[in-house]
Amino acid sequence: MTPSIAATTLLSLVTLSAFHPASAKCVPPKEAHFNWDDVEYLIAFGDSYTFVQGTYGYPNYSFIGNYLPGELSFTPTELLSNRIVQNFTGTAEGGPNWVEYLTGCGVEPGEHLPSDCAIQLWDFAFAGADVSEEFLPLHHNFTTPLVNQTAQYLKWAEPVLGPRIEGRGTNKKAEAALVAVWIGINDVNDSQSKKPANITFQDFWQAEIEAVFSESVLPLFGAGYRNFLFVNLPPLDRTAANQVKSNPSPSKEQVGWWNEILANRAREFAETNQGAKAMVYDANTFLNGVMNRPEQYGITNLTYCPDYAQLEVLTKPEEYGCRPLDEYFWYNSGHMSSHTHKIMVPNLIEFLEAQST
Ligand SMILES: *[C@@H]1O[C@H](CO)[C@@H](O)[C@H](O)[C@H]1NC(C)=O
Ligand SMILES: *[C@@H]1O[C@H](CO)[C@@H](O)[C@H](O)[C@H]1NC(C)=O
Ligand SMILES: *[C@@H]1O[C@H](CO)[C@@H](O)[C@H](O)[C@H]1NC(C)=O
Ligand SMILES: *[C@@H]1O[C@H](CO)[C@@H](O)[C@H](O)[C@H]1NC(C)=O
Ligand SMILES: *[C@@H]1O[C@H](CO)[C@@H](O)[C@H](O)[C@H]1NC(C)=O
Ligand SMILES: *[C@@H]1O[C@H](CO)[C@@H](O)[C@H](O)[C@H]1NC(C)=O
Ligand SMILES: *[C@@H]1O[C@H](CO)[C@@H](O)[C@H](O)[C@H]1NC(C)=O
């Protein structure tokens, strides 16, 4: 008896709100709605490709907090006064990265409050992160894995930022916020030596990407976020080291496996969660295109300057036998140059505009 009474009550409520103009406003939109022009907040998660230095962050690794016991948390005041640092060590590529170029937040040298930016960048990516400790060991005991970055966000940042986003003009959280996730770079590399032997790469990465959606994306969806941008793997099969190997590690095929699993899982997420928009930006195709025709992008060298870590190399590259760092595709063994991040962004914006309705 009880279930049918509950069902009847629910049905009448749904019917009522569907025909009642005042309460209709409260019904979440059934169709996904995304428009890049409406985005005022970029909430980012991932690894070193996405990390930005914060004044409350772990030096060289994060915007705020770290994975050591008790250090994931922060106060509202710490969050709102935390500044993005743009300097030689402010990112993993010696200059602005893709989320900074995409938002225009923190591009100039110095310190920047996210709340001063036209598109606010709230970045919980942690350099060296994998998806979860469940699959691969931490790079360091302070490394916050992706599933814990989103939990950190939901526990300590969402209560502060959520109401601010809801309160901005007529935009709802669902429209004004875009969640960005770029993960898998460390996972695919670490898997080469640390994956359990009794599982295939495909099954291992399927399980990892399942965890991305069940432990990170769905909880964010539950908190009201609707628009999600996923970035697939860059050409890790074409790092400087891999260019001279007959068997690159990871291989092009492996990079393709991760990217295919990601694309399928993102599609399934959007199909099974009404109102969700899951966009997968194909960084891999764009960046392979850059590597195939580097001269079109001002790139003269597809490896990197060995002395990239010297501060002076930025201003006097010739003293280190290098070209200006902006002429290199890679910054070092695993990271793309800041210039490569920069040239990807117009292509990404084109993609986001094509996804807009
Ligand atoms: C951050 O990285 C730079 C460049 O590699 C290094 O010189 C510096 O010591 C690092 N800072 C900390 C606190 O580890
Ligand atoms: C960059 O800024 C951080 C944080 O303010 C500081 O600790 C670091 O020394 C700076 N690095 C350089 C190369 O100026
Ligand atoms: C983290 O690792 C460092 C260096 O290995 C070690 O000194 C420190 O005690 C560790 N901290 C914790 C809480 O395990
Ligand atoms: C990190 O996330 C995993 C998966 O949800 C969880 O089991 C673990 O307890 C979290 N770690 C911390 C320190 O919160
Ligand atoms: C693989 O081995 C681990 C123990 O090392 C075990 O826990 C797991 O169930 C095994 N997985 C499969 C698919 O057999
Ligand atoms: C690319 O740069 C590296 C490091 O500066 C250098 O050793 C190499 O010769 C350069 N390659 C080309 C094709 O210029
Ligand atoms: C990949 O992993 C190996 C072994 O753990 C490490 O030495 C290397 O630096 C990593 N490469 C990249 C590109 O992160």
Side-chain angles (χ1 to χ4, degrees):
M1 285 301 274
T2 314
S4 79
I5 291 167
T8 310
T9 312
L10 183 67
L11 185 70
S12 59
L13 279 175
V14 167
T15 311
L16 192 79
S17 54
F19 287 93
H20 201 284
S23 55
K25 266 192 201 157
C26 305
V27 178
K30 288 193 167 82
E31 297 304 316
H33 173 81
F34 169 75
N35 194 312
W36 172 238
D37 293 338
D38 294 339
V39 172
E40 295 174 39
Y41 291 79
L42 187 77
I43 299 162
F45 303 99
D47 53 34
S48 55
Y49 276 48
T50 304
F51 123 82
V52 299
Q53 184 66 57
T55 46
Y56 280 104
Y58 197 96
N60 292 354
Y61 288 90
S62 76
F63 173 66
I64 197 161
N66 73 81
Y67 204 53
L68 289 172
E71 298 192 9
L72 274 178
S73 66
F74 42 81
T75 66
T77 306
E78 284 166 349
L79 179 66
L80 295 175
S81 61
N82 192 19
R83 291 167 186 267
I84 296 172
V85 180
Q86 185 56 259
N87 68 13
F88 186 58
T89 51
T91 69
E93 35 281 317
N97 67 15
W98 73 287
V99 281
E100 293 171 327
Y101 283 122
L102 179 62
T103 56
C105 198
V107 173
E108 299 303 320
E111 297 185 357
H112 310 269
L113 282 178
S115 56
D116 284 346
C117 299
I119 301 177
Q120 300 186 21
L121 171 60
W122 295 96
D123 190 339
F124 297 81
F126 203 102
D130 290 279
V131 167
S132 166
E133 266 188 285
E134 185 192 336
F135 301 102
L136 290 161
L138 303 177
H139 283 194
H140 302 101
N141 57 8
F142 53 79
T143 310
T144 311
L146 177 81
V147 297
N148 303 95
Q149 293 166 22
T150 53
Q152 177 194 32
Y153 178 81
L154 288 171
K155 184 152 185 198
W156 291 290
E158 164 61 18
V160 181
L161 298 179
R164 291 167 74 99
I165 301 173
E166 288 286 11
R168 295 266 305 230
T170 55
N171 276 329
K172 296 281 192 295
K173 189 195 285 177
E175 291 169 7
L178 175 62
V179 173
V181 178
W182 195 355
I183 195 71
I185 293 149
N186 293 313
D187 299 86
V188 163
N189 188 46
D190 296 356
S191 299
Q192 305 299 324
S193 56
K194 298 185 176 117
K195 173 185 76 56
N198 61 356
I199 184 168
T200 63
F201 281 105
Q202 289 100 316
D203 287 349
F204 190 62
W205 294 337
Q206 180 82 51
E208 283 206 274
I209 289 172
E210 184 54 41
V212 171
F213 282 82
S214 61
E215 291 174 39
S216 287
V217 177
L218 269 173
L220 287 161
F221 180 82
Y225 296 92
R226 290 294 175 268
N227 295 319
F228 294 86
L229 167 66
F230 302 95
V231 183
N232 72 6
L233 293 181
L236 297 174
D237 50 300
R238 298 176 79 179
T239 57
N242 276 336
Q243 289 170 28
V244 293
K245 282 188 195 157
S246 50
N247 291 306
S249 171
S251 65
K252 187 175 182 64
E253 187 181 34
Q254 289 179 329
V255 170
W257 288 338
W258 177 283
N259 288 350
E260 189 184 336
I261 296 166
L262 174 65
N264 289 336
R265 189 61 185 82
R267 191 179 319 114
E268 186 194 324
F269 164 69
E271 282 167 5
T272 52
N273 291 281
Q274 219 169 39
K277 173 93 174 170
M279 300 172 270
V280 182
Y281 171 61
D282 188 1
N284 187 270
T285 295
F286 176 75
L287 294 167
N288 268 303
V290 172
M291 292 193 95
N292 295 341
R293 291 173 302 280
E295 64 288 346
Q296 291 185 10
Y297 300 91
I299 292 173
T300 61
N301 192 306
L302 294 180
T303 70
Y304 61 89
C305 170
D307 285 314
Y308 66 88
Q310 302 302 316
L311 177 57
E312 276 213 324
V313 94
L314 275 183
T315 44
K316 300 172 187 162
E318 65 287 348
E319 287 186 11
Y320 296 87
C322 288
R323 306 283 306 166
L325 292 198
D326 277 359
E327 291 189 25
Y328 293 87
F329 182 89
W330 297 100
Y331 179 63
N332 56 25
S333 64
H335 298 101
M336 310 185 308
S337 66
S338 176
H339 177 76
T340 301
H341 279 253
K342 184 179 189 174
I343 60 182
M344 189 182 87
V345 166
N347 184 256
L348 170 56
I349 290 176
E350 225 174 274
F351 168 77
L352 292 172
E353 282 172 349
Q355 294 284 319
S356 297
T357 51

